[in-house]
Amino acid sequence: MTEQVNKPQETTGDVVQETQGTQGNPIEHEDVLAEDLVETSLSADDATENQLSALEEENARLKDQLLRTVAEMDNVRRRAAEDVSKAHKFSIEKFAENMVPVQDSLEKALQDNSGDVQTLREGVELTFKQLTSALEKSGVVELNPKGEKFDPHFHQAISMVPSDLESGLVVDVLQKGFKIADRVLRPALVIVAQ
């Protein structure tokens, strides 16, 4: 009798079957291969379903996070619009608080029927000081550039006249100007030396 040495047979799907001494039944071999392929296919389907489930959960989580972020941004935008609206509505509150005493003083001056010019003048001077103080508290700065170099950002030249002063200097101020911080409310009307 001759001995047969059978080598392991390789099949698809990493299934290896060895036969010892006798030749294996090809039908049994195919059944084993089919069962292994079905098991492999089922485990691949399970893995795919698990991955799909995980991706669907991640997608739902991200959608929820997006909706929450969009809602938060809408709330921030709405709050900012309300803040801007309130700032516009109440922006002159401080200025108005400073101006109320000036109005009170002017009303008292109008109610004075004494006819004393000196008293009236003193009242007007005090009211003027109140007004100047109220404007300064509100950040309004007076521009009185007499003797200063002409600056077109803060001054408006009405005319130029010959003068003993250096050319380009303000000779006279016809009307004072005003500014808040660096913003000009009204330029000073001036006459400039030639």
Side-chain angles (χ1 to χ4, degrees):
M1 222 191 256
T2 59
E3 286 186 25
Q4 278 188 337
V5 177
N6 291 327
K7 295 182 182 176
Q9 296 180 357
E10 293 183 24
T11 61
T12 59
D14 297 348
V15 178
V16 177
Q17 181 179 0
E18 293 182 6
T19 56
Q20 297 177 3
T22 61
Q23 195 134 359
N25 186 349
I27 293 174
E28 287 177 14
H29 180 67
E30 287 177 6
D31 286 342
V32 170
L33 286 176
E35 287 176 12
D36 288 345
L37 286 175
V38 169
E39 285 178 19
T40 304
S41 175
L42 288 177
S43 66
D45 285 345
D46 288 345
T48 302
E49 283 183 33
N50 288 343
Q51 286 178 340
L52 180 60
S53 175
L55 288 174
E56 286 174 346
E57 288 174 10
E58 178 71 9
N59 187 23
R61 186 185 66 77
L62 290 174
K63 277 184 181 179
D64 181 60
Q65 186 178 3
L66 175 66
L67 289 175
R68 289 177 188 274
T69 303
V70 168
E72 180 63 24
M73 290 305 298
D74 286 344
N75 288 339
V76 167
R77 194 175 297 122
R78 182 183 47 77
R79 280 189 224 115
E82 288 174 3
D83 289 346
V84 167
S85 174
K86 286 178 183 177
H88 285 295
K89 188 184 283 186
F90 300 110
S91 62
I92 63 165
E93 184 176 10
K94 179 182 173 192
F95 180 72
E97 286 175 358
N98 292 331
M99 293 303 293
V100 169
V102 175
Q103 179 181 349
D104 292 341
S105 295
L106 289 172
E107 282 180 4
K108 287 194 190 273
L110 290 173
Q111 293 172 357
D112 180 33
N113 292 326
S114 68
D116 186 5
V117 178
Q118 184 60 30
T119 305
L120 184 63
R121 180 173 178 80
E122 289 172 6
V124 170
E125 287 174 355
L126 289 174
T127 304
F128 180 72
K129 287 179 183 177
Q130 274 185 318
L131 177 63
T132 303
S133 174
L135 290 173
E136 286 175 359
K137 287 178 185 174
S138 298
V140 178
V141 178
E142 184 179 276
L143 298 174
N144 188 4
K146 188 169 185 174
E148 296 177 8
K149 182 123 177 98
F150 175 76
D151 184 348
H153 296 103
F154 298 107
H155 312 141
Q156 181 176 350
I158 298 301
S159 65
M160 292 185 80
V161 294
S163 174
D164 296 338
L165 295 174
E166 178 182 327
S167 178
L169 291 181
V170 174
V171 175
D172 196 13
V173 177
L174 301 175
Q175 186 179 58
K176 295 176 185 176
F178 294 93
K179 68 177 183 170
I180 294 179
D182 291 332
R183 182 180 233 172
V184 176
L185 292 175
R186 181 179 80 188
L189 298 179
V190 299
I191 296 174
V192 182
Q194 279 183 325

